[in-house]
Amino acid sequence: MFTIGICDDRLLCRRLLEAQIHLYEEENDILFNIYEFSNGEELLEEIERDGLVFDLIFLDNSMKKLTGLETARLIRQSKSTSACDIVFVTSADNHDQFMQVRPLQVVCKPCTQEGVKAILEKVLAFHIGK
């Protein structure tokens, strides 16, 4: 099953993104495993402790301890998660800073339903085509 992570320190942002993904599931008769994390440390711990492998991670940048960019760097350094697609969902104006970790996309908050749909279709097309 396709596994998605949502990492944002703001609960409302996580819930909005989750609702948009669930709407896509309903409209397309598909089911995802969705995990939520309130910070990068929780996400990295879950990957390391449980060996969880994500197909896609929606990642906020402005979080308390580890930023999204720092979290993405650590994800890219891990053999088990280095190929994971990362989408930054951020209010940052400077999107160039994220390119060093090869994100699939950088989108501005709040993410629209059309934006989420386009991202999911792009990732699913790639994974189905493997």
Side-chain angles (χ1 to χ4, degrees):
M1 187 177 288
F2 198 81
T3 303
I4 299 174
I6 301 171
C7 185
D8 195 311
D9 57 346
R10 296 177 60 200
L11 178 62
L12 186 59
C13 292
R14 292 194 311 270
R15 290 296 148 81
L16 175 61
L17 197 45
E18 182 184 28
Q20 291 169 326
I21 294 168
H22 284 313
L23 182 58
Y24 182 88
E25 287 176 317
E26 290 173 24
E27 291 175 349
N28 294 278
D29 195 31
I30 192 168
L31 194 59
F32 301 119
N33 281 330
I34 302 171
Y35 294 84
E36 289 186 27
F37 306 95
S38 62
N39 58 58
E41 295 87 349
E42 280 181 13
L43 170 61
L44 293 168
E45 183 179 312
E46 188 81 18
I47 290 169
E48 191 165 313
R49 185 187 66 227
D50 296 336
L52 196 56
V53 177
F54 291 95
D55 298 293
L56 173 64
I57 297 175
F58 289 93
L59 192 55
D60 177 34
N61 188 49
S62 299
M63 295 184 285
K64 302 261 187 292
K65 290 183 183 178
L66 278 180
T67 66
L69 185 55
E70 292 166 335
T71 302
R73 275 194 203 111
L74 293 168
I75 288 169
R76 290 289 184 240
Q77 291 171 6
S78 167
K79 286 183 181 179
S80 64
T81 58
S82 63
C84 170
D85 285 312
I86 296 173
V87 174
F88 283 100
V89 183
T90 181
S91 54
D93 292 330
N94 177 11
H95 292 185
D96 293 339
Q97 65 181 319
F98 303 114
M99 296 308 135
Q100 60 187 288
V101 292
R102 304 175 318 279
L104 175 70
Q105 200 166 332
V106 180
V107 296
C108 293
K109 280 185 175 182
C111 207
T112 64
Q113 184 63 43
E114 294 78 24
V116 170
K117 178 181 178 183
I119 290 164
L120 292 173
E121 287 179 350
K122 183 189 295 187
V123 173
L124 287 170
F126 176 76
H127 284 273
I128 291 169
K130 277 188 174 178

